[in-house]
Amino acid sequence: MSDKTEKKKNIKNNLEYFWTYYKLPFAAVMIVVILVLYFLVTSLTAKDTALSVMLIDCHSEMSGEKMAEEYMEASGLDQKKYQVQIQNNLMFQGTDSGNYSMTSLSKFMADIGSELLDVCGMLKDDFVKYDGSETWMDLHECLTDEQLETLKDKLLTTDDGRVIGIMADDLPVMQADGCYTNEETDAAIGIIYNTPHKDEAVKYLLYLAGVM
């Protein structure tokens, strides 16, 4: 037998031995390496969320992704670094599925509890109901007197003088997006009390009102 043939045989035997006794540890190591690389790439390419919005029962045919894209262009946010999330497919009312309503409510409450939600719109009756649990920030805390004066005809004010939101029905951007256009119902939009992005949330409200 030639030396060349002997070497090939030894290599084959070594590979068979390795695969027989070490294939599981080798596979485990490869899985760990792949996971590490995946999370590394994900962390390096992930965008920071600049704003998270829910528009509940808005009945718009425009996707939330398109709404977010339009806001980012109007606000000048760097789309390579930041993302805006707008969910407009959740419903509390007008659905025959109680499960879907409960899923929407659970998502709403979970995002508030996790301090992930900045701005939310919904039908006025629901909006006022959730003010009972102090869901909404008093806009006196984040809007200037000049901005409040500009929006005075649209403000939703409580009996004790707090401004908890603005009426969403006739906001220019809401109308353009086909959101809250049902003349038989009123809707309001406001900033969540524990918003993690208060400045951007304010900008979004002003954007909706056409006064950003």
Side-chain angles (χ1 to χ4, degrees):
M1 182 181 296
S2 66
D3 292 342
K4 189 174 182 179
T5 302
E6 184 68 23
K7 287 181 179 178
K8 288 183 178 179
K9 184 177 180 180
N10 289 337
I11 292 173
K12 181 180 179 180
N13 290 338
N14 289 336
L15 289 174
E16 289 179 350
Y17 177 84
F18 175 83
W19 190 247
T20 300
Y21 294 101
Y22 295 102
K23 61 182 177 182
L24 291 180
F26 177 76
V29 170
M30 290 305 299
I31 291 173
V32 171
V33 170
I34 291 171
L35 288 174
V36 169
L37 290 175
Y38 170 78
F39 286 116
L40 179 61
V41 171
T42 300
S43 64
L44 292 175
T45 58
K47 298 179 181 180
D48 291 332
T49 298
L51 181 72
S52 178
V53 178
M54 280 186 186
L55 301 175
I56 300 169
D57 291 313
C58 79
H59 298 289
S60 173
E61 295 184 1
M62 181 181 289
S63 69
E65 290 79 9
K66 180 62 176 176
M67 290 181 178
E69 180 183 331
E70 290 185 349
Y71 171 70
M72 293 192 72
E73 291 177 356
S75 64
L77 281 170
D78 187 342
Q79 298 188 36
K80 294 181 179 179
K81 294 182 179 180
Y82 300 102
Q83 64 176 352
V84 170
Q85 297 177 340
I86 298 181
Q87 302 174 77
N88 66 349
N89 59 348
L90 301 176
M91 299 179 69
F92 289 168
Q93 310 292 337
T95 174
D96 295 330
S97 173
N99 288 336
Y100 191 78
S101 296
M102 287 303 299
T103 299
S104 298
L105 177 59
S106 296
K107 175 64 173 171
F108 171 64
M109 300 302 294
D111 280 10
I112 292 177
S114 302
E115 297 187 9
L116 297 176
L117 186 59
D118 301 297
V119 176
C120 188
M122 61 183 68
L123 299 183
K124 182 182 175 183
D125 289 346
D126 289 327
F127 194 93
V128 172
K129 178 177 70 176
Y130 286 109
D131 182 52
S133 56
E134 300 181 351
T135 299
W136 314 110
M137 177 179 290
D138 186 347
L139 296 185
H140 283 116
E141 299 177 15
C142 53
L143 295 181
T144 66
D145 291 341
E146 182 180 357
Q147 290 166 341
L148 289 169
E149 178 64 22
T150 300
L151 298 171
K152 64 180 181 181
D153 294 334
K154 301 178 174 66
L155 299 178
L156 178 57
T157 305
T158 63
D159 292 338
D160 59 3
R162 291 178 301 113
V163 177
I164 58 174
I166 57 179
M167 300 304 298
D169 310 71
D170 61 349
L171 297 179
V173 174
M174 293 278 93
Q175 288 290 312
D177 292 346
C179 199
Y180 299 122
T181 56
N182 188 340
E183 295 181 358
E184 297 180 0
T185 57
D186 295 326
I189 190 166
I191 298 175
I192 303 299
Y193 77 97
N194 61 349
T195 168
H197 309 109
K198 183 171 72 173
D199 291 343
E200 201 66 44
V202 170
K203 284 174 59 178
Y204 182 70
L205 289 189
L206 297 177
Y207 158 78
L208 294 179
V211 295
M212 183 174 66

